[in-house]
Amino acid sequence: MKKGINIFVFLLIAVFSFSYKYIFLFVADGMGLPHLQIARMYKQSLINSDLNVFNLPYFSIIETSSLNGVTDSAAAITAILSGEKTYNNRINKSSSGTTLSPITYELKERGYKIGVISTNTLVDATPAGAYAFVDERTSRNEIVKYLLESNFDLFIGGGKAYFNQQEAEKHGYIYSDTLKKGPYTEKELIALYYGNFPFLTDNESRVPLSDTLSYAINKFGNENFFILIEGGRIDHAAHAHDTFSLIKEIIDFDDSIKIALDFLKQYPDDTLIIVTSDHATGGLTLGDGFLSLNKIRDYGFSYEKFVDILNSTDNYEVFSNKLNLSIDLKDYFYISKNSSKTLTYQSDVVKFYYDHLNTQAGINWSSFGHTIDYVPLFSNIACDVYFINNNEIFSIFEIF
């Protein structure tokens, strides 16, 4: 009799532990509440439409700390997918160094198709959180090895520099650098760009995140799936205080949410959509007694292109003409060029330029790093908890 009860309990767990056939996890890397708010205000004011994420009916606040305090993306995605807080730089490694198991592997064992999508390289911390186990997030070669050995069904992102076709095919993957072929029934590794996706500010024809998600859904069909979708370049724009690029990246990320919402209409009882962030970046505040959205403009380049051109010439006139600058940065240009420091978004000329643009709009950034601010969580499924620790997300939604 006792054995029969145990079997019955096991069957109940098997049936109800994973009650969603289709799971979408959207992670907007570096997006806090003000980041989301400025993107929404911009789209409402200048494009005359709202963000898709606000069509999800339920909202909670996520606490993001790691064991270091302010988290990085590695510790954050470990907490989200493995359910345990850890130290920064670690991916699926506990505070004591033991290996943690992200939910992706358990879902894979239960027959789910697993997809990982990112606008960063596929070996960056957030996508790696789905499949890798390393003490240091910079262990790229080791992370590549885990990716190829994961047996997951689909990878789409940047990072062509880390892969080669022969090695991918040896592990059973069809390797490609385009979405124009396929989808195939076999496992696929699609590296669309050499490094990260370019910013939309620099390349409007960049592959939209929505196209990558549509590809994944078409590939998986009606089979159970879990798809991680990361808007990774949001964080990079926030680090550099590049407000316009930030907004463009959030809107692109949000456009991919519409793909999931359209899918939800077909399978409302079987689909879980979670939209959240791993942490906030930059210490963004909106308004300095005023906020002028019409001052947030597209000048035709991101901070990344700005820094690339800064590194490519020692002549200010050449630099200014290439960027078609409307303000005089000559003094800051030569201060930066004559410095012994590597030229980055924290160089004087870059800081002054973006401070100038942001001040005109009434926007303030207080940090070049991550912050411990709360971040949003949107979902299509109600939960009774409105303040959630980041390592509790999937237990609250009854995935763990």
Side-chain angles (χ1 to χ4, degrees):
M1 180 67 178
K2 185 176 180 180
K3 182 178 180 182
I5 292 173
N6 288 341
I7 292 172
F8 177 71
V9 170
F10 175 81
L11 289 173
L12 282 176
I13 292 171
V15 170
F16 292 108
S17 288
F18 295 92
S19 53
Y20 307 105
K21 293 181 179 179
Y22 315 112
I23 304 170
F24 298 87
L25 173 62
F26 291 88
V27 178
D29 198 324
M31 187 186 77
L33 288 165
H35 308 64
L36 179 65
Q37 183 180 358
I38 193 64
R40 186 187 197 193
M41 293 173 69
Y42 182 90
K43 188 175 183 185
Q44 287 175 327
S45 175
L46 301 180
I47 306 177
N48 200 31
S49 62
D50 203 353
L51 293 176
N52 296 292
V53 71
F54 287 96
N55 289 312
L56 289 167
Y58 301 105
F59 177 81
S60 299
I61 291 292
I62 302 297
E63 182 275 335
T64 65
S65 69
S66 71
L67 296 183
N68 295 88
V70 179
T71 194
D72 73 344
S73 293
I77 196 64
T78 296
I80 292 169
L81 292 179
S82 291
E84 185 169 328
K85 287 183 180 287
T86 190
Y87 292 110
N88 292 348
N89 294 317
R90 298 186 180 189
I91 298 176
N92 295 316
K93 290 285 187 160
S94 72
S95 59
S96 63
T98 58
T99 298
L100 303 171
S101 182
I103 191 175
T104 45
Y105 280 96
E106 187 166 356
L107 288 167
K108 182 65 178 171
E109 288 179 4
R110 291 175 179 267
Y112 282 67
K113 298 293 184 180
I114 306 296
V116 178
I117 298 171
S118 178
T119 55
N120 284 346
T121 70
L122 285 166
V123 297
D124 202 34
T126 299
Y131 61 81
F133 310 89
V134 292
D135 292 317
E136 291 290 337
R137 58 181 292 180
T138 54
S139 302
R140 306 295 193 198
N141 292 337
E142 195 175 354
I143 290 172
V144 169
K145 182 173 177 287
Y146 279 117
L147 184 152
L148 294 173
E149 293 177 351
S150 69
N151 201 35
F152 289 174
D153 302 276
L154 178 64
F155 293 94
I156 306 176
K160 197 184 300 185
Y162 297 101
F163 304 104
N164 69 73
Q165 184 169 349
Q166 184 178 5
E167 191 67 18
E169 290 177 350
K170 189 169 76 174
H171 286 84
Y173 283 93
I174 293 177
Y175 179 78
S176 176
D177 61 1
T178 179
L179 296 178
K180 294 178 181 178
K181 303 173 184 177
Y184 301 95
T185 56
E186 297 91 343
K187 299 181 298 182
E188 294 181 68
L189 170 55
I190 304 173
L192 295 170
Y193 297 96
Y194 187 79
N196 298 320
F197 280 38
F199 281 107
L200 284 160
T201 318
D202 298 326
N203 183 358
E204 279 285 353
S205 62
R206 185 191 89 182
V207 176
L209 197 55
S210 57
D211 283 5
T212 66
L213 182 54
S214 294
Y215 187 99
I217 291 170
N218 290 336
K219 177 180 177 65
F220 295 156
N222 291 329
E223 296 187 77
N224 294 1
F225 63 70
F226 174 98
I227 306 174
L228 167 64
I229 309 101
E230 183 201 22
R233 304 243 60 192
I234 297 167
D235 176 64
H236 299 163
H239 276 291
H241 306 170
D242 184 348
T243 304
F244 184 79
S245 293
L246 173 94
I247 290 169
K248 293 280 284 185
E249 295 301 319
I250 291 175
I251 291 174
D252 179 66
F253 173 79
D254 181 73
D255 286 345
S256 71
I257 295 170
K258 185 178 186 303
I259 303 299
L261 289 169
D262 290 343
F263 184 90
L264 175 65
K265 293 174 185 176
Q266 300 177 61
Y267 306 100
D269 298 326
D270 299 316
T271 303
L272 172 63
I273 301 173
I274 296 173
V275 181
T276 191
S277 174
D278 51 355
H279 55 76
T281 299
L284 174 62
T285 55
L286 307 180
D288 190 13
F290 70 97
L291 184 66
S292 299
L293 294 175
N294 62 350
K295 297 289 187 181
I296 304 172
R297 298 174 184 168
D298 183 0
Y299 289 94
F301 56 87
S302 71
Y303 81 87
E304 197 166 62
K305 184 176 179 180
F306 188 104
V307 172
D308 285 346
I309 293 174
L310 180 64
N311 274 295
S312 70
T313 181
D314 292 325
N315 183 287
Y316 176 72
E317 283 67 31
V318 172
F319 170 76
S320 179
N321 289 336
K322 282 186 175 182
L323 294 175
N324 194 26
L325 293 176
S326 58
I327 62 171
D328 184 7
L329 299 175
K330 189 171 185 177
D331 290 344
Y332 289 97
F333 175 84
Y334 286 112
I335 289 171
S336 297
K337 295 297 287 189
N338 292 330
S339 170
S340 60
K341 297 178 181 178
T342 302
L343 295 170
T344 70
Y345 58 79
Q346 294 191 50
S347 297
D348 287 340
V349 65
V350 188
K351 289 193 295 184
F352 178 83
Y353 178 73
Y354 284 104
D355 281 350
H356 173 78
L357 297 184
N358 288 317
T359 298
Q360 284 186 320
I363 290 170
N364 295 281
W365 297 84
S366 64
S367 171
F368 288 103
H370 297 171
T371 63
I372 204 167
D373 300 348
Y374 298 147
V375 299
L377 182 146
F378 296 85
S379 66
N380 64 309
I381 302 295
C383 69
D384 295 329
V385 182
Y386 302 102
F387 181 84
I388 304 172
N389 292 316
N390 60 356
N391 61 314
E392 299 171 337
I393 292 173
F394 279 114
S395 60
I396 286 171
F397 286 98
E398 299 181 353
I399 297 298
F400 280 138

